[in-house]
Amino acid sequence: KQAIDEISIDVVTSRGFDEESARREIANFRALMEQNKEQIDLFELALNRPPGTPLAESVQSVARAIAVPTLGLSRPDIERVWRAYQKLEGSRVRGAGTRRLLTDIIALIRYTMQREDDNGTILEPYQNMVNRRFDNWLTEQERLRGRPFTAEQRWWLERIRDRIVTDLQCQESDLDGGAAFDQGGRIGAAQAFGGEQELLTVLRELNERLVA
């Protein structure tokens, strides 16, 4: 026979990670980085390149590989590591409650590599960093151009930015899908910027400036 208590009320005594679980989650993540040390070392080279220097294609490929579940990581895995850092180092962690992207693994790797040597390092969603770099690039370009981008150009620039947030790169062919298709795809984008070469220049600059 099974007794069923229909009177007592359950009380939540704890929620989320305790410190021991959080430290274990971070230790497991660091161990995973060690197991993939060659890839991580290449990624670190990309992080430390001089501002404005293009990512070598091989390094960009490594960055893309890290951002997908080839290391056995999924969005829930990324969320657990993020919450572990938030439990132990909450003042340095941003983006609580944010829906995790697979590219957030880049933010976790950056933070894990830099947190002990730089107290100013923060953990924030990868999208935040890309958006900040995008805004800086817009300001710089509009100053150099002497005029703002048109509303149509801004629309395309934001589509390119959003693609980089999720995929770490944006190629010309990526402009043929989704909402961009309804705006003419890559042909519409080229017309907006004054020609295909101008579009390719914009793509190259944003891929260089926003990634990693």
Side-chain angles (χ1 to χ4, degrees):
K1 295 182 180 181
Q2 182 178 12
I4 300 176
D5 184 355
E6 297 180 340
I7 300 175
S8 302
I9 299 175
D10 291 335
V11 177
V12 177
T13 58
S14 64
R15 188 185 302 270
F17 283 133
D18 56 32
E19 287 194 9
E20 181 180 351
S21 297
R23 293 185 193 284
R24 185 165 57 248
E25 195 71 46
I26 291 171
N28 290 340
F29 180 65
R30 292 178 67 92
L32 183 63
M33 289 178 59
E34 280 298 315
Q35 293 168 16
N36 295 273
K37 191 174 187 305
E38 183 176 345
Q39 287 186 323
I40 299 301
D41 287 346
L42 285 174
F43 181 68
E44 189 170 11
L45 287 176
L47 291 182
N48 295 328
R49 75 191 193 281
T53 303
L55 278 173
E57 181 56 34
S58 59
V59 176
Q60 198 167 30
S61 297
V62 168
R64 289 196 296 272
I66 290 172
V68 297
T70 55
L71 301 186
L73 290 168
S74 63
R75 285 187 181 89
D77 296 323
I78 294 170
E79 177 63 26
R80 284 198 300 274
V81 179
W82 204 283
R83 286 170 51 213
Y85 273 128
Q86 193 163 36
K87 174 71 175 179
L88 299 177
E89 303 170 6
S91 63
R92 300 173 64 180
V93 179
R94 310 286 185 268
T98 302
R99 179 178 178 273
R100 295 284 160 249
L101 300 173
L102 287 174
T103 47
D104 281 333
I105 188 62
I106 302 297
L108 285 172
I109 291 171
R110 289 170 60 94
Y111 183 72
T112 300
M113 290 192 305
Q114 299 172 1
R115 56 189 277 269
E116 295 180 357
D117 297 327
D118 183 357
N119 291 330
T121 298
I122 64 169
L123 175 60
E124 62 177 348
Y126 184 74
Q127 183 174 12
N128 288 15
M129 188 209 69
V130 171
N131 288 345
R132 187 165 57 249
R133 290 187 174 191
F134 177 74
D135 290 342
N136 291 339
W137 181 85
L138 274 181
T139 300
E140 174 188 298
Q141 290 298 307
E142 291 185 341
R143 185 178 66 249
L144 292 173
R145 288 157 49 94
R147 65 185 186 281
F149 288 104
T150 67
E152 183 182 15
Q153 289 170 336
R154 283 290 295 264
W155 189 90
W156 283 107
L157 291 171
E158 289 168 3
R159 302 292 79 70
I160 295 169
R161 175 202 63 194
D162 293 346
R163 185 75 180 198
I164 290 173
V165 164
T166 58
D167 288 1
L168 292 175
Q169 67 169 346
C170 182
Q171 299 177 346
E172 190 179 11
S173 59
D174 294 328
L175 302 178
D176 286 331
F181 178 81
D182 297 332
Q183 301 298 320
R186 72 181 82 180
I187 295 175
Q191 290 174 345
F193 290 102
E196 185 177 15
Q197 287 306 310
E198 287 79 2
L199 171 62
L200 291 175
T201 297
V202 167
L203 282 170
R204 185 186 69 252
E205 288 190 7
L206 287 176
N207 279 315
E208 290 174 4
R209 294 286 293 274
L210 305 189
V211 177

